[in-house]
Amino acid sequence: MQVIIRPTREDASRLAARLIAKALRAKPSLVLGLATGRTMERLYALLVAMHRDEGLDFSLCRTFNLDEYIGLPPTHENSYRYYMNDHLFRHINIDPRNTHLPDGMAADLGAACRRYEEEIAEAGGIDLQLLGIGRAGHIGFNEPLSALRSRTRDKSLTPVTIAENSTLFKDPTMMPRRALTMGVGTILECKRLLVLVTGESKAAVLARAVEGPITSMISASAIQLHPNCTVIVDEDAAKDLQEKDYYRWIFENEPEWGEFRESN
Ligand code: F6R
């Protein structure tokens, strides 16, 4: 794992956008795993700007989102399908048929989850999976005690997650209590993980995820098991990390970060 600390949320989002753009240019048929949430809004705005201003091409890209609420139709403004259309898909040249989210409206949720895993496998697996970390320590909606080998399935949300996300609903009581999510095992099979965490409210959970013991109590700690994982954070989120000087040294000195140092 590499942890890269950038001064601000804007710098961190810009670096994440540039890494995604670089992966897409290297492989136009990239299978890209996506996340929703507040953290990703600026990143998606930057990708939209790169498409508009630099011709970043999504025409062959296929996407798989981590999760979706159970019981919200795609037309509901709080569904993750709506979020993705609104923040990214309708602003870029992606074929809507190449965009996938778990089907939280399926009559048979178990079958929908199995089908989702099959679709990922048929696409050849996810090349690059974008992740945020929730205050409950989750990646996707893998709440505490999610098995480290879990697959796409339905999950009850914790009170912390409900408190965090219900504020985004016009009527907070309407937030679903359950969601479909890729499992920790599904996420660990992605070829590369790109984790973006910003803001002081995430500092404590980030430190536990990155430098603490691997535990199903903090599903984000499972990223330590992944052989190709980059964690990009801003100074506010990095506040509680113990090895900050080492992480800074890596970004300032390792050749692979050279192109990102000069013009971030
Ligand atoms: C959303 C997802 C979640 C979020 C996490 C952080 O698709 O997978 O794990 O990344 O809850 O959300 P924000 O960015 O709103 O703090």
Side-chain angles (χ1 to χ4, degrees):
M1 182 199 295
Q2 285 181 311
V3 177
I4 302 297
I5 305 174
R6 305 306 301 131
T8 65
R9 175 183 186 224
E10 179 67 15
D11 297 317
S13 305
R14 191 167 294 280
L15 178 57
R18 291 184 66 194
L19 288 171
I20 292 172
K22 186 177 178 183
L24 189 57
R25 287 190 181 109
K27 183 181 178 186
S29 63
L30 192 76
V31 182
L32 183 58
L34 296 172
T36 62
R38 285 156 275 216
T39 312
M40 303 304 162
E41 288 177 8
R42 184 64 192 142
L43 165 63
Y44 292 146
L46 290 165
L47 288 175
V48 169
M50 284 174 163
H51 167 68
R52 190 187 56 228
D53 303 336
E54 302 165 23
L56 185 64
D57 181 17
F58 291 84
S59 61
L60 299 177
C61 180
R62 286 162 292 170
T63 66
F64 288 90
N65 266 76
L66 286 165
D67 41 21
E68 177 60 282
Y69 289 116
I70 293 174
L72 292 192
T75 48
H76 191 290
E77 63 180 9
N78 291 108
S79 75
Y80 284 170
R81 165 56 78 179
Y82 190 98
Y83 172 108
M84 289 311 306
N85 290 343
D86 194 37
H87 289 282
L88 186 65
F89 297 152
R90 70 184 169 88
H91 306 288
I92 59 174
N93 65 332
I94 198 161
D95 184 336
R97 290 169 301 183
N98 286 341
T99 66
H100 306 270
L101 285 91
D103 182 3
M105 294 295 287
D108 184 341
L109 293 171
C113 291
R114 286 190 293 279
R115 181 74 201 121
Y116 202 62
E117 292 272 342
E118 283 165 14
E119 284 174 347
I120 293 170
E122 284 160 13
I126 293 171
D127 294 308
L128 176 62
Q129 176 66 55
L130 181 63
L131 296 171
I133 298 182
R135 280 190 49 213
H138 63 214
I139 44 176
F141 272 136
N142 291 286
E143 302 288 39
L145 296 187
S146 288
L148 298 180
R149 289 186 172 162
S150 50
R151 313 300 311 186
T152 304
R153 70 212 183 288
D154 65 308
K155 205 63 201 157
S156 300
L157 303 176
T158 62
V160 175
T161 301
I162 293 166
E164 279 282 293
N165 288 9
S166 60
T167 57
L168 300 171
F169 285 67
K170 275 192 197 122
D171 177 356
T173 62
M174 294 307 284
M175 177 180 157
R177 271 30 183 177
R178 293 166 69 227
L180 300 184
T181 179
M182 280 188 206
V184 182
T186 319
I187 293 168
L188 289 179
E189 276 172 20
C190 302
K191 287 160 208 155
R192 182 174 184 193
L193 302 182
L194 180 62
V195 190
L196 179 62
V197 185
T198 55
E200 200 176 339
S201 66
K202 300 286 178 64
V205 79
L206 175 75
R208 290 181 73 185
V210 169
E211 296 179 335
I214 296 170
T215 167
S216 61
M217 284 297 286
I218 303 281
S219 68
S221 66
I223 63 174
Q224 295 176 36
L225 293 166
H226 199 282
N228 191 356
C229 176
T230 304
V231 183
I232 299 174
V233 304
D234 64 0
E235 286 287 352
D236 288 344
K239 199 170 71 63
D240 294 348
L241 295 175
Q242 288 173 32
E243 296 290 342
K244 282 196 282 256
D245 291 345
Y246 174 52
Y247 309 146
R248 289 201 181 96
W249 189 92
I250 288 183
F251 186 72
E252 293 308 330
N253 294 281
E254 287 291 352
E256 74 167 291
W257 296 106
E259 65 187 288
F260 300 104
R261 281 195 290 275
E262 274 101 58
S263 57
N264 184 38

